[in-house]
Amino acid sequence: MADITKNNTSRRGRPAAVSIEEQLALFISHESLLFQNQNILRKLSDNIWKQLEELLDGKITAATLYFNLLQNRGNLMDKLIENTGRLPKNEEIIEYFSEDDNVLDASISSKSENDESENNIEFTIKLKFDDYRKLKPTVRNYKRGKYMKSYTTLKQHYWTSLFYERIWLEKKLPCNYVFKKCVIGNENTKHYFTFIGQCKDCLSKINGWSDDKPSEEDEIWRINICAEPPKKSKLLHTSKRQCKGAEREEVCKLLVHDLPSNWQREKVDKICNFGDKIPPHVYENHVLRQAKNEFKSKILGITEKCPISSLDILKQTSQNGSIHTICFNEFFVHYWSPFQIAVYKSANKLGHTKLAIDGTGSLVQQIKRAHSISHHIFLYEIVLYGYGVQVSVAQMLSEKQDMATIQYWLQKWLMTGVTFPKE
């Protein structure tokens, strides 16, 4: 018996740096500073928690003090209420007027959790087995200090956008849900799949689960959803979802030869009815433009953010033979492809060729320099026309719009071996 007692004693962890009794005494002495508006605990960002940490010489952090009291660890909140006579947070004071003695009385009523659950929105979303195959459940390792846990989850940055879109199509809730804790269970768990989430704007919660693993025979994967009603008006839901992962790549592929505004218009026409608020997964113009720019840079292999340096890289790599002259300050670039030269030479052999030079602005943004920005950049083109065709045979982007710059461009073009035009 003595050995058993000895073993149990040896298994105990080290004593707490600050005991529950010491924390309670500290909370009681500063009770008036811990709460606001009767019984609402002050937020973690309030200075009072940092002050309490300093009073304890940093033996326990401000966050630990806050959560110990908030989550009633060691019955701290109950003991504090008992010592100070403060009302619990889940109780409300309901005032009513007494007809007998005209005295204002107060009674305490507690909110029922059952009443709140009755207001929850419950529904089911359906996914095809092909959708499940794209999600690709994988094992992920989560490390915290020297401890590590492994969970089977759905494909990161893909399942969230897919689930949100289906939830919107089913109920059109205005909430911008942030999903987390997506877990694929095993044979011993109650549900095969579970997830939770919370709205970014009104903090209403959502959770979902599926009891059965999808199979090719069923074809449909049913996921049960239970969501709290939005706690704010839909007009106050203003945040947007992040465009990332597989969805960002799919959107970028559609934007390569299209405008962000067109994508927005088509998306809204597809998922919204007249009078609906634009949902959080219809991204704003600046997000779509940035995604499109990054995708194009990835295709072209551009890693340099400076536009002139990236032109120099292209000249030495994929566009060698098409980009000919680059000037940094004041900026200009001459470019034409070997195919354009071949087209001009072929047309020149046929007979009378005509060339025209035209320039236009507002197509290229000004270059930002260290202490200033460039002048307006114009696009100049040499256009071959005649015989029912009209085609560009050489181009120049230039910050300078004077005769000397244009003449230098024409001379560089003639140095490629082309003959003088007839007109």
Side-chain angles (χ1 to χ4, degrees):
M1 187 68 181
D3 294 338
I4 295 175
T5 306
K6 184 178 180 180
N7 291 336
N8 290 338
T9 305
S10 63
R11 290 177 184 174
R12 292 179 182 175
R14 63 180 182 181
V18 181
S19 65
I20 293 294
E21 290 74 17
E22 291 175 328
Q23 293 181 49
L24 178 61
L26 185 67
F27 291 148
I28 292 175
S29 61
H30 296 81
E31 177 262 342
S32 60
L33 301 175
L34 296 176
F35 295 89
Q36 58 182 357
N37 298 334
Q38 291 291 331
N39 57 353
I40 300 176
L41 194 64
R42 291 190 180 276
K43 295 182 179 180
L44 178 58
S45 58
D46 198 285
N47 289 332
I48 182 60
W49 303 105
K50 198 67 179 176
Q51 294 172 9
L52 295 180
E53 178 185 346
E54 293 174 356
L55 289 175
L56 294 173
D57 298 328
K59 294 179 181 178
I60 188 170
T61 64
T64 304
L65 287 169
Y66 171 76
F67 285 111
N68 283 352
L69 186 58
L70 179 68
Q71 299 177 1
N72 197 23
R73 296 173 182 171
N75 298 324
L76 276 172
M77 182 65 79
D78 294 340
K79 293 176 182 178
L80 181 62
I81 291 171
E82 183 180 348
N83 280 273
T84 60
R86 185 175 292 275
L87 294 175
K89 186 177 179 180
N90 64 337
E91 296 180 343
E92 293 180 341
I93 297 179
I94 301 178
E95 296 181 347
Y96 63 91
F97 194 77
S98 174
E99 296 180 355
D100 297 332
D101 50 5
N102 294 335
V103 177
L104 190 65
D105 297 331
S107 66
I108 299 175
S109 65
S110 299
K111 288 185 177 180
S112 172
E113 294 182 359
N114 295 330
D115 294 340
E116 292 182 357
S117 62
E118 289 178 359
N119 296 328
N120 288 344
I121 304 170
E122 298 182 357
F123 56 97
T124 302
I125 60 174
K126 298 178 181 179
L127 301 177
K128 296 181 180 179
F129 184 77
D130 291 338
D131 295 327
Y132 175 76
R133 188 184 287 112
K134 292 177 182 177
L135 297 178
K136 295 180 182 178
T138 55
V139 178
R140 296 187 63 195
N141 297 321
Y142 294 87
K143 188 175 181 181
R144 186 175 182 180
K146 60 181 180 179
Y147 300 101
M148 182 179 292
K149 284 188 177 182
S150 298
Y151 295 98
T152 304
T153 64
L154 299 179
K155 186 177 180 181
Q156 193 178 17
H157 303 320
Y158 184 80
W159 73 273
T160 52
S161 57
L162 178 62
F163 276 45
Y164 184 84
E165 186 169 357
R166 298 302 171 87
I167 290 171
W168 164 262
L169 292 175
E170 187 68 28
K171 288 296 179 180
K172 294 190 176 179
L173 298 173
C175 294
N176 179 14
Y177 292 114
V178 178
F179 299 111
K180 53 186 177 180
K181 290 189 178 178
C182 158
V183 178
I184 301 292
N186 51 39
E187 297 177 354
N188 300 323
T189 56
K190 182 179 179 181
H191 304 295
Y192 168 72
F193 165 74
T194 58
F195 75 89
I196 62 174
Q198 191 174 38
C199 175
K200 216 172 185 179
D201 297 302
C202 69
L203 304 182
S204 61
K205 297 180 180 179
I206 187 172
N207 62 82
W209 68 94
S210 177
D211 296 329
D212 302 319
K213 181 179 180 180
S215 62
E216 294 187 20
E217 298 176 356
D218 296 337
E219 294 185 356
I220 299 297
W221 185 24
R222 293 174 176 82
I223 300 171
N224 303 309
I225 305 292
C226 180
E228 292 181 350
K231 299 177 182 178
K232 292 182 180 179
S233 166
K234 65 179 181 180
L235 298 177
L236 298 178
H237 288 76
T238 56
S239 64
K240 291 287 187 180
R241 290 187 58 79
Q242 293 183 356
C243 182
K244 58 184 180 181
E247 185 185 19
R248 188 182 184 94
E249 188 173 348
E250 291 176 3
V251 171
C252 289
K253 289 178 181 178
L254 297 174
L255 289 174
V256 170
H257 303 294
D258 203 353
L259 296 174
S261 56
N262 291 340
W263 181 90
Q264 285 180 323
R265 192 179 300 110
E266 292 174 3
K267 184 78 170 179
V268 170
D269 290 342
K270 182 179 178 181
I271 65 175
C272 296
N273 297 325
F274 182 78
D276 288 343
K277 185 179 181 297
I278 296 179
H281 60 298
V282 176
Y283 308 110
E284 296 182 353
N285 267 327
H286 69 276
V287 175
L288 297 173
R289 284 195 298 268
Q290 178 66 21
K292 179 180 179 179
N293 182 49
E294 291 176 358
F295 186 73
K296 282 190 171 182
S297 298
K298 183 179 178 181
I299 293 175
L300 296 173
I302 299 173
T303 57
E304 179 63 48
K305 292 186 178 181
C306 174
I308 301 177
S309 299
S310 64
L311 279 175
D312 184 53
I313 294 172
L314 287 175
K315 180 182 177 181
Q316 301 175 48
T317 54
S318 62
Q319 300 302 318
N320 186 17
S322 295
I323 299 176
H324 299 276
T325 310
I326 301 173
C327 181
F328 182 80
N329 194 358
E330 296 173 324
F331 169 76
F332 67 79
V333 56
H334 303 159
Y335 61 101
W336 53 83
S337 66
F339 178 74
Q340 288 178 300
I341 297 296
V343 168
Y344 173 75
K345 288 181 177 180
S346 299
N348 202 31
K349 291 178 182 179
L350 294 176
H352 191 79
T353 55
K354 299 179 182 179
L355 292 182
I357 299 176
D358 190 19
T360 182
S362 72
L363 296 177
V364 181
Q365 290 184 352
Q366 294 170 277
I367 299 172
K368 295 181 181 179
R369 297 194 172 101
H371 302 289
S372 63
I373 60 174
S374 67
H375 300 295
H376 293 285
I377 298 174
F378 275 60
L379 169 64
Y380 292 90
E381 290 191 359
I382 301 175
V383 180
L384 170 69
Y385 67 97
Y387 301 103
V389 297
Q390 184 173 331
V391 61
S392 175
V393 293
Q395 301 79 221
M396 174 180 69
L397 290 173
S398 177
E399 183 182 352
K400 296 179 66 177
Q401 287 83 44
D402 55 15
M403 185 57 66
T405 303
I406 297 174
Q407 185 178 4
Y408 178 62
W409 169 46
L410 293 174
Q411 288 175 346
K412 293 290 290 185
W413 181 65
L414 291 172
M415 288 172 62
T416 59
V418 298
T419 57
F420 282 91
K422 302 296 189 298
E423 183 178 346

